[in-house]
């Protein structure tokens, strides 16, 4: 069986699956406030179709899955899909990225179905600001979901913080403090130009060197925490004595494409070998034919570029491929 190895020798064992393009929030970096066109329900992969795709690529070496959206918990009976995926031979790890609005009521069922770890998107610890960034979200419900995730034993629990200049960069210290007495990994993420390479993005972009400066201003030292959660994109650090860690994900200023092991499956059945570029291969017509599914993944991975060019986008330089027009919610991140 052919493994998912691209032209640059990168082995792909990780599939990120968007189960819906819908979300109960409208985060400013992810969706426009209005005018978003969602896929009709008949275009969204059914659970049985997703499971069939995963079973095919598990035979090609995929071991890790991450369910995303939109917001995956708005998909009805998502636990049913998780149980189906956890029973597929070869699948060793199922993670979930969520805004946590529904997590408090779903955590136990998700754990029982087979989710091992969760990432929670949380860009502010201030209620009014959180509501502004998410266009109406409840910070209390997210924090309740966070506590539920810790209580049921997801490990690790990561917080994804998209840093935006002039919007939430004054909260870096508050997020760092969360890592002191809770077993959390705080992950600061550079603002990416996914679906909106414009001057508004450039104005909000912030280099993550700012995080180190803030830690020093707090009077703390920090040390590398190593690759404690697998081969993820974060550079991890720990303040001595802290229960948790903080990590930096810098796809723009210092891309990690050389170690990329990810493929993406959109809610409407398209394989995306790279988050940034618009190249896609629709696998849905091949469902029902395992070899055809596998061949489509091989075609997609063979065309995967060596890297994205977000740094060139920041500098308004010419790029070698065409950036995606899909918003982050339509891709799955």
């Amino acid at each position: 069986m052919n493994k998912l190895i691209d032209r640059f020798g990168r082995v792909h064992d990780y599939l990120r699956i968007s189960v819906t393009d819908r979300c109960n929030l409208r985060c400013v970096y992810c969706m426009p406030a209005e005018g978003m066109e969602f896929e009709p329900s008949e275009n969204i992969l059914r659970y049985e179709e997703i499971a069939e795709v995963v079973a095919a690529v598990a035979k090609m070496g995929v071991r890790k899955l991450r369910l995303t959206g939109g917001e995956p918990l708005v998909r009805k009976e998502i636990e049913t899909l998780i149980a189906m995926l956890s029973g597929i031979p070869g699948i060793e790890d199922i993670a979930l990225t969520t805004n946590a609005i529904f997590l408090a009521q779903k955590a136990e069922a998700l754990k029982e179905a087979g989710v091992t770890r969760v990432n929670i998107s949380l860009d502010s610890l201030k209620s009014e600001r959180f509501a502004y960034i998410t266009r109406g979200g409840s910070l209390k419900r997210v924090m309740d979901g966070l506590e539920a995730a810790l209580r049921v034993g997801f490990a690790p629990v990561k917080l994804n913080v998209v840093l935006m200049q002039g919007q939430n960069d004054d909260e870096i210290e508050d997020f760092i403090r969360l890592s002191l007495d809770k077993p959390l990994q705080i992950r600061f993420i550079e603002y990416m130009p996914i679906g909106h390479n414009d001057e508004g993005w450039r104005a909000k972009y912030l280099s993550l060197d700012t995080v180190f400066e803030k830690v020093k201003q707090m009077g703390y030292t920090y040390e590398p925490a190593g690759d404690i959660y697998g081969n993820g994109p974060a550079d991890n650090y720990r303040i001595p004595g802290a229960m948790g860690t903080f990590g930096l994900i810098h796809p723009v200023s210092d891309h990690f494409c050389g170690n990329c092991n990810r493929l993406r499956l959109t809610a409407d059945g398209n394989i995306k070998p790279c988050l940034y570029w618009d190249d896609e291969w629709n696998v849905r017509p091949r469902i029902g034919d395992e070899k055809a599914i596998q061949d489509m993944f091989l075609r997609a991975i063979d065309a995967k570029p060596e890297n994205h060019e977000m740094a060139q986008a920041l500098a308004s330089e010419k790029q070698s491929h065409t950036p995606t027009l899909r918003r982050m919610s339509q891709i799955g991140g």
Side-chain angles (χ1 to χ4, degrees):
M1 177 62 63
N2 289 323
K3 298 294 185 181
L4 292 167
I5 304 174
D6 68 12
R7 294 172 294 153
F8 308 99
R10 294 173 295 197
V11 179
H12 293 67
D13 62 356
Y14 182 7
L15 181 64
R16 300 177 65 103
I17 304 168
S18 174
V19 298
T20 180
D21 62 344
R22 287 167 167 76
C23 188
N24 49 341
L25 301 180
R26 294 290 183 274
C27 296
V28 295
Y29 54 82
C30 190
M31 281 194 201
E34 53 188 28
M36 190 77 181
E37 294 187 9
F38 299 104
E39 291 288 341
S41 58
E42 61 267 23
N43 288 359
I44 302 299
L45 290 175
R46 294 179 290 107
Y47 288 168
E48 293 79 7
E49 292 175 313
I50 294 172
E52 186 174 336
V53 171
V54 170
V57 296
K59 294 180 179 179
M60 305 175 80
V62 167
R63 296 290 174 260
K64 296 181 289 186
L65 306 175
R66 176 171 294 279
L67 303 186
T68 68
E71 168 50 44
L73 298 189
V74 304
R75 186 85 187 254
K76 291 182 179 179
E77 299 180 357
I78 188 69
E79 309 94 305
T80 300
L81 173 63
I82 294 163
M84 293 168 67
L85 299 179
S86 66
I88 293 175
I91 297 303
E92 300 170 354
D93 183 63
I94 301 177
L96 180 83
T97 295
T98 176
N99 60 35
I101 295 293
F102 297 137
L103 187 55
Q105 65 200 67
K106 288 275 194 176
E108 288 188 13
L110 293 169
K111 178 75 172 176
E112 290 177 3
V115 172
T116 54
R117 51 201 175 93
V118 295
N119 287 22
I120 296 173
S121 299
L122 179 59
D123 301 312
S124 178
L125 297 170
K126 299 180 179 181
S127 295
E128 290 186 6
R129 180 179 291 176
F130 179 81
Y132 172 79
I133 292 174
T134 59
R135 298 192 178 103
S138 165
L139 179 61
K140 182 182 184 305
R141 292 186 67 177
V142 175
M143 298 308 289
D144 288 346
L146 170 60
E147 293 301 325
L150 292 171
R151 185 176 64 251
V152 303
F154 290 125
V157 175
K158 303 179 183 180
L159 296 188
N160 291 346
V161 184
V162 177
L163 279 186
M164 293 170 281
Q165 186 165 263
Q167 197 150 12
N168 64 352
D169 50 322
D170 60 341
E171 295 188 59
I172 293 173
E173 296 98 323
D174 295 332
F175 279 107
I176 289 292
R177 290 187 187 98
L178 280 182
S179 76
L180 298 178
D181 56 6
K182 290 182 181 294
L184 301 171
Q185 185 190 21
I186 314 299
R187 310 198 319 165
F188 297 103
I189 304 172
E190 286 181 336
Y191 191 9
M192 291 179 282
I194 304 299
H196 59 114
N197 180 6
D198 53 27
E199 292 307 315
W201 165 67
R202 291 183 181 87
K204 290 187 178 70
Y205 171 81
L206 183 69
S207 170
L208 296 187
D209 288 343
T210 305
V211 175
F212 291 135
E213 296 169 7
K214 294 291 187 181
V215 173
K216 291 176 182 177
Q217 290 172 12
M218 295 170 72
Y220 293 119
T221 61
Y222 56 87
E223 58 193 18
D227 200 8
I228 52 179
Y229 299 128
N231 57 345
D235 294 330
N236 299 303
Y237 301 89
R238 186 188 305 276
I239 294 171
M243 291 184 65
T245 63
F246 68 93
L248 308 183
I249 300 179
H250 33 68
V252 179
S253 64
D254 186 15
H255 72 75
F256 36 83
C257 300
N259 296 320
C260 186
N261 66 336
R262 299 161 186 77
L263 293 168
R264 291 172 171 82
L265 181 66
T266 66
D268 56 350
N270 284 285
I271 306 165
K272 284 191 72 67
C274 179
L275 172 68
Y276 185 58
W277 302 121
D278 71 345
D279 302 314
E280 297 181 352
W281 284 260
N282 191 273
V283 74
R284 193 173 199 181
R286 279 76 182 174
I287 291 174
D289 183 336
E290 181 176 85
K291 186 178 184 304
I293 293 172
Q294 293 166 342
D295 287 345
M296 186 60 65
F297 271 85
L298 291 173
R299 284 180 57 188
I301 201 167
D302 187 58
K304 182 169 183 170
E306 187 172 10
N307 54 61
H308 61 64
E309 297 172 8
M310 295 185 198
Q312 287 90 324
L314 182 64
S316 299
E317 295 175 355
K318 185 178 180 180
Q319 297 179 286
S320 62
H321 295 69
T322 303
T324 184
L325 293 177
R326 286 193 191 240
R327 300 302 292 253
M328 190 70 84
S329 61
Q330 297 172 306
I331 299 171

